[in-house]
Amino acid sequence: MAEGRIRIDKWLWQARFFKTRVLAALAVSGGHLRLNGAPMGKPGHAVGPGDVLTFPQGNQVRVVRILACGTRRGPAAEARGLYDEIGAPDGG
């Protein structure tokens, strides 16, 4: 994998969008995620800074731009620095 890139399932887990990496992989392989507007079905696909992800989470659709790949699943404040929210989450 190229430097500065990370598996999409691992990034979603590190950024704390999913509780486990398996759940992240299931969301991707289930066709519930778009990468730069295109449907994505491979959890092993590499993503990096600048990529835009669109995926459902709970009752909302999240649209985030990847800012960094990260090196671990750290605390929530650290995870928040890995992405920029493009669309404000629905108020419910």
Side-chain angles (χ1 to χ4, degrees):
M1 203 171 299
E3 190 173 324
R5 311 227 4 117
I6 188 172
R7 286 176 57 109
I8 197 166
D9 60 336
K10 188 172 182 180
W11 187 87
L12 287 165
W13 172 71
Q14 286 182 351
R16 295 185 163 267
F17 287 110
F18 293 90
K19 205 169 209 177
T20 67
R21 192 165 161 189
V22 170
L23 290 174
L26 287 172
V28 176
S29 61
H32 303 292
L33 184 134
R34 290 185 175 269
L35 172 63
N36 299 323
M40 178 54 48
K42 297 182 179 181
H45 190 81
V47 294
D51 286 333
V52 175
L53 305 178
T54 306
F55 57 95
Q57 187 178 41
N59 294 330
Q60 60 186 338
V61 174
R62 305 290 296 264
V63 182
V64 298
R65 177 174 286 112
I66 298 175
L67 299 177
C69 290
T71 56
R72 67 185 186 126
R73 181 179 164 102
E78 183 179 314
R80 180 65 180 93
L82 298 179
Y83 63 92
D84 184 29
E85 192 86 36
I86 293 176
D90 291 342

